[in-house]
Amino acid sequence: MPSATIPASYPGAPALMNCLCKGDIQKGLIESGVVLGLIFEVEGYMDKYNDHFFIFTGGDANYFAEKVKKPIFVVYNLVLMGLAHVAKDYA
């Protein structure tokens, strides 16, 4: 259901709307805001600790890796790889 309470225009709106989905319903807009907020936080940590390596893991790692401006490592099955490494010592 469309929301009449969300302002149609505010500073930075065009840039935000080009980043992700152009949600025309309140749920889509909120989800886009959450994702953009998460990306903003991750990039803030990357700027603060720029001498560190960053590894994204999990099913959505590639999605976020495409949105982040700095280079990162993406490892989809990091936990599974670690468990396999531990299991081979006990097998």
Side-chain angles (χ1 to χ4, degrees):
M1 70 183 178
S3 176
T5 60
I6 297 176
S9 180
Y10 56 91
L16 289 177
M17 291 315 228
N18 289 333
C19 290
L20 295 173
C21 70
K22 296 179 180 176
D24 58 349
I25 58 173
Q26 189 170 6
K27 182 181 177 196
L29 291 171
I30 291 171
E31 289 172 354
S32 293
V34 169
V35 171
L36 287 170
L38 180 66
I39 292 169
F40 181 78
E41 286 292 322
V42 167
E43 288 180 341
Y45 281 109
M46 293 174 83
D47 288 339
K48 185 174 181 180
Y49 303 105
N50 58 5
D51 58 337
H52 289 74
F53 292 104
F54 296 92
I55 302 171
F56 279 34
T57 65
D60 292 328
N62 195 33
Y63 174 79
F64 287 104
E66 293 173 356
K67 305 286 186 237
V68 175
K69 297 173 188 165
K70 295 190 177 194
I72 59 171
F73 295 102
V74 176
V75 181
Y76 294 106
N77 297 318
L78 184 64
V79 173
L80 186 61
M81 292 166 54
L83 289 172
H85 183 71
V86 169
K88 78 176 182 178
D89 292 337
Y90 290 101

